[in-house]
Amino acid sequence: MLKARGLDLRIAGRELVRALELSLAPGECWALLGRNGVGKTSLLLALAGLRPAQAGSVELDGRPLAAHRRSELARRMAVLLQDEASDFWGSTLDYVLLGRYPRSKSAWGRDGEGIESARRLLEQFDLAAHADQPYRSLSGGERQRARIAQVLLQDADILLLDEPLQHLDLRHQAQVMGSLSQSAANGKTVLAALHEPSHAARYCGFSLLLYDAGRASLGRTGDMLTQANLEALYQCRLEAAGTRSFLPS
């Protein structure tokens, strides 16, 4: 469904991605792993059509992203950015309903089906009691869960998420990863930039490891998350800490 062909990405003369070949298919949940500053965000933006590549292309259903109308891309692809202003003036429910906009005839997506779906997502992410609370008054973790709910309400075929677990406690990390994994099981395509390999091991069938100088490796998570690969990826010594889990040594 979504493919990168010979993708090159550079910033300020530094090579982030070199000749990447990547195919993301329906029903697959991918983890994107790598150190800070290695280019994970740039890659996600390029796959979403929000950042130009220096070479190569990104295709959706065999056609370059530029050949698709923006309204079509908004229905097909949902993007969770790492940073976002927190001063939205409306309620938490209003904020989540923005995800309905690409599929709604009204500016705020306030159709009956949209409101019902939004309230279900608020319940799912422990936000039902905050539905009428101003979004900007939520805690960082509560805002992050509302952002995930908005992305899921968009009901896009492809979910591209940059650090979806930031600000979340352990309970809500597991909650969000379970929801993303279930989305893939329901036929969605999921690619999430993560910092914790154990989440990739538990919830993601495939992993893309992004190293320095544009080098990447990808494949099934069980093959990718070896101690040797992770030590090279994070440039530190690791020791096993349980099944498919590692800690710095």
Side-chain angles (χ1 to χ4, degrees):
M1 181 180 292
L2 186 67
K3 291 188 177 182
R5 298 182 182 273
L7 194 68
D8 284 1
L9 296 175
R10 293 187 294 275
I11 187 168
R14 185 165 63 93
E15 194 169 37
L16 302 177
V17 174
R18 180 176 64 247
L20 178 66
E21 300 286 335
L22 174 67
S23 295
L24 305 176
E28 293 179 349
C29 187
W30 285 73
L32 174 58
L33 300 172
R35 295 189 302 120
N36 290 339
V38 79
K40 299 186 299 297
T41 294
S42 294
L43 176 56
L44 287 170
L45 292 176
L47 292 174
L50 300 176
R51 185 193 190 284
Q54 278 61 55
S57 64
V58 179
E59 299 176 357
L60 177 62
D61 293 342
R63 299 165 55 208
L65 290 184
H68 296 263
R69 292 187 301 173
R70 297 305 303 181
S71 58
E72 178 188 359
L73 290 178
R75 289 189 294 271
R76 299 291 305 280
M77 303 172 66
V79 182
L80 179 75
L81 301 177
Q82 188 178 140
D83 297 311
E84 180 188 76
S86 60
D87 57 354
F88 176 73
W89 56 265
S91 70
T92 304
L93 177 61
D94 290 331
Y95 179 82
V96 173
L97 281 169
L98 291 176
R100 187 72 173 171
Y101 178 75
R103 299 182 179 277
S104 176
K105 295 180 180 179
S106 65
W108 289 97
R110 283 196 169 276
D111 57 284
E113 182 182 355
I115 292 175
E116 182 180 350
S117 297
R119 289 194 180 279
R120 281 200 301 269
L121 285 165
L122 289 173
E123 181 73 31
Q124 178 179 336
F125 292 114
D126 299 330
L127 291 170
H130 303 285
D132 298 323
Q133 181 177 335
Y135 171 76
R136 61 188 175 188
S137 71
L138 298 177
S139 71
E142 289 165 346
R143 285 199 301 270
Q144 185 70 2
R145 278 142 50 205
R147 297 177 70 215
I148 298 292
Q150 184 192 96
V151 165
L152 294 179
L153 186 66
Q154 192 172 333
D155 194 28
D157 299 320
I158 301 166
L159 309 180
L160 302 175
L161 307 108
D162 196 359
E163 297 192 20
L165 305 183
Q166 64 178 344
H167 307 305
L168 299 184
D169 57 34
L170 289 176
R171 165 187 164 81
H172 292 111
Q173 288 179 28
Q175 191 180 68
V176 167
M177 288 306 302
S179 295
L180 296 179
S181 178
Q182 186 59 51
S183 292
N186 292 337
K188 307 292 187 184
T189 305
V190 178
L191 174 63
L194 304 174
H195 279 301
E196 177 49 67
S198 64
H199 288 311
R202 182 171 182 180
Y203 296 102
C204 302
F206 301 87
S207 290
L208 169 59
L209 310 185
L210 197 57
Y211 299 88
D212 290 318
R215 189 168 67 90
S217 60
L218 56 93
R220 292 192 174 277
T221 295
D223 298 327
M224 291 293 101
L225 300 191
T226 65
Q227 184 165 349
N229 283 349
L230 291 175
E231 287 183 344
L233 185 70
Y234 295 111
Q235 297 185 6
C236 66
R237 293 290 300 275
L238 300 174
E239 61 182 15
T243 305
R244 305 179 82 178
S245 181
F246 297 90
L247 294 172
S249 62

